[in-house]
Amino acid sequence: MSTVFTVFRKELIDALRDRRTVMIALVMGPLLFPLLFMGLGSFAAKKQTEKLEKPLELPVVGAQHAPNLVGWLEGEGVVVLPAPKDADAAVRAQDHAVVLSIPKTYPEQWRKSEPARLDLVLDSSRALESGTTVARLERLLAQYDREVGTLRLVARGVHPALASPLAVARRDLATPESKAGLQLMMMPYLLIMLGFIGGMHLAIDTTAGERERQSLEPLLATPVSRTAIMSGKLAATVVFALMTLVLTFITFKLTTLFGGGASRMSFDVSTRASAQLFLVIVPVVLFGSALLTLLAAFAKSYREAQSYLSIVFLLPMIPTMLLMVNPVKTKLWMLAVPFLGQNQMLTKVLRGEAASAAEWAVVMLAGLALAALLWGITARLYHREQLAISG
């Protein structure tokens, strides 16, 4: 154990002396990711609030065919604009989020008490830019539809309640945490990625970097166990990654506390939930650091080790992308799958849902078992004589 601790202390001190490594791993990552994450959430919330509070501007084609509808919309605060020359072109050019088109058949259908057609010209592929405006207009038209329908029934001596045989009441089980939307989907990926690559620079430098600097061969030539040397280097990588993760959590918490009302309302994580999130990420840090050390030991040069990262970066992305396009119900066996299990457990914690003891056991033990397996493979690679030979 003394050898492991000696190597661990040496590698950690050397890493902290490297200003570039410290800036990237312990400053830029923990600060940039949370600030960018919460900043985007606050910006999106602010933009949506502005769209909801400002008057709804609506170009109307054929306004003369439905003067009562247009007058009602204006009474609800809608600013009716002149019709554009080409409604389709105006929407495609993003001059307007939506255009209301009233066909010539509207007056005749209205007089006959038939469903009068209205056309909404919109671009559904731009939901982030125009979704709020379109939703506001559709709610207004639905309200007008209900009011006119009620008046028609009353005029014919029919009680309006007869047209509504059902009274549907909603019981929303969503927690305040689970309503965070996009942030809830992205937070697990960011945490897994930070835990996975937090010790990346140190993992590569302590093996591939020292091999190129020709300082690894004298170390391996000493009469100590190579497994102990590797374990010390791996322990330094794990601690460095955990430091990055702790600083990231602190930055997240400070951002939600002092980042203004928008960020605090959009997404906040309690201290207990933060501790649970950290616990879920610990196995990711362990097997991520072991995998990066393994790749560094396998690579023949520092540059080759870096080239492997482009493939390694895809590993945490795969489950996140699959869950975004195809959400699935969490099953116990999924928690044993690397990255998928952590993603599912992180989402459960962020949503404020309770996890069973069996779920915690599976996700933690599976991650620790994978870390132990990668540690054993890396230890075998450290016993190769080619390891000390550069390039």
Side-chain angles (χ1 to χ4, degrees):
M1 289 299 295
S2 60
T3 302
V4 174
F5 180 75
T6 301
V7 176
F8 160 75
R9 184 178 61 181
K10 176 258 184 189
E11 298 296 351
L12 196 58
I13 293 175
D14 288 347
L16 293 175
R17 287 174 177 172
D18 188 346
R19 295 182 180 180
R20 184 176 62 179
T21 301
V22 171
M23 282 294 298
I24 294 176
L26 297 183
V27 179
M28 296 299 294
L31 288 178
L32 182 62
F33 277 104
L35 292 177
L36 180 63
F37 183 76
M38 302 305 296
L40 289 175
S42 301
F43 178 76
K46 183 179 179 181
K47 293 293 291 184
Q48 294 299 322
T49 302
E50 290 177 353
K51 289 182 180 180
L52 290 172
E53 291 179 348
K54 73 177 185 180
L56 175 60
E57 297 182 348
L58 178 66
V60 180
V61 178
Q64 68 278 9
H65 301 315
N68 292 335
L69 171 60
V70 174
W72 183 88
L73 290 173
E74 290 177 331
E76 294 295 322
V78 177
V79 179
V80 177
L81 303 178
K85 294 181 179 180
D86 188 339
D88 293 4
V91 172
R92 289 196 185 100
Q94 302 183 58
D95 295 331
H96 301 290
V98 59
V99 175
L100 175 61
S101 178
I102 305 175
K104 296 179 180 180
T105 58
Y106 183 93
E108 182 179 356
Q109 292 172 334
W110 185 268
R111 284 192 297 269
K112 293 180 179 180
S113 296
E114 297 176 353
R117 176 177 173 177
L118 294 174
D119 294 330
L120 299 183
V121 183
L122 55 95
D123 186 352
S124 61
S125 65
R126 301 185 183 275
L128 292 177
E129 297 92 338
S130 61
T132 302
T133 303
V134 173
R136 290 178 65 186
L137 176 59
E138 288 179 335
R139 283 195 297 268
L140 287 172
L141 294 177
Q143 180 181 346
Y144 183 75
D145 177 69
R146 289 192 300 270
E147 291 182 5
V148 173
T150 299
L151 292 175
R152 286 179 176 178
L153 291 175
V154 172
R156 288 163 174 76
V158 180
H159 196 283
L162 294 177
S164 303
L166 298 178
V168 180
R170 298 178 61 184
R171 258 192 329 128
D172 192 355
L173 301 180
T175 61
E177 295 85 357
S178 65
K179 293 181 179 180
L182 181 61
Q183 291 175 319
L184 183 63
M185 291 189 292
M186 294 303 299
M187 185 77 163
Y189 168 71
L190 290 177
L191 291 178
I192 291 174
M193 181 62 77
L194 286 172
F196 186 60
I197 65 172
M200 173 185 64
H201 298 283
L202 189 58
I204 296 177
D205 186 70
T206 54
T207 300
E210 288 195 9
R211 180 190 297 171
E212 287 193 354
R213 294 191 297 269
Q214 297 183 352
S215 60
L216 183 61
E217 184 176 0
L219 180 62
L220 296 178
T222 57
V224 295
S225 171
R226 291 193 176 190
T227 300
I229 294 175
M230 183 278 298
S231 298
K233 292 177 178 291
L234 180 57
T237 302
V238 169
V239 170
F240 205 80
L242 290 175
M243 291 169 59
T244 302
L245 202 59
V246 169
L247 291 175
T248 301
F249 274 101
I250 293 175
T251 306
F252 266 120
K253 195 62 180 178
L254 293 177
T255 303
T256 55
L257 289 176
F258 305 107
S263 64
R264 186 164 56 251
M265 289 172 58
S266 62
F267 198 79
D268 193 6
V269 181
S270 66
T271 303
R272 178 183 178 184
S274 297
Q276 292 177 331
L277 295 175
F278 183 82
L279 186 61
V280 175
I281 297 297
V282 168
V284 178
V285 173
L286 293 176
F287 68 69
S289 299
L291 178 60
L292 292 172
T293 304
L294 172 62
L295 292 175
F298 180 78
K300 296 180 180 179
S301 64
Y302 191 94
R303 181 174 296 180
E304 182 180 343
Q306 286 184 316
S307 66
Y308 290 146
L309 295 179
S310 59
I311 301 176
V312 172
F313 280 160
L314 295 176
L315 297 178
M317 293 176 58
I318 295 174
T320 303
M321 295 174 65
L322 289 176
L323 292 174
M324 291 178 93
V325 299
N326 184 32
V328 295
K329 180 181 178 180
T330 302
K331 297 182 180 179
L332 194 60
W333 67 265
M334 295 180 183
L335 299 178
V337 180
F339 301 115
L340 176 61
Q342 283 77 25
N343 197 304
Q344 294 286 65
M345 184 60 76
L346 290 173
T347 301
K348 188 180 284 286
V349 174
L350 289 169
R351 290 176 61 89
E353 300 173 356
S356 66
E359 290 175 328
W360 277 105
V362 170
V363 74
M364 296 300 295
L365 292 178
L368 295 176
L370 178 60
L373 175 63
L374 293 173
W375 173 86
I377 298 174
T378 308
R380 291 182 63 86
L381 283 178
Y382 256 72
H383 284 81
R384 296 187 311 164
E385 293 302 325
Q386 297 89 338
L387 180 66
I389 303 175
S390 63

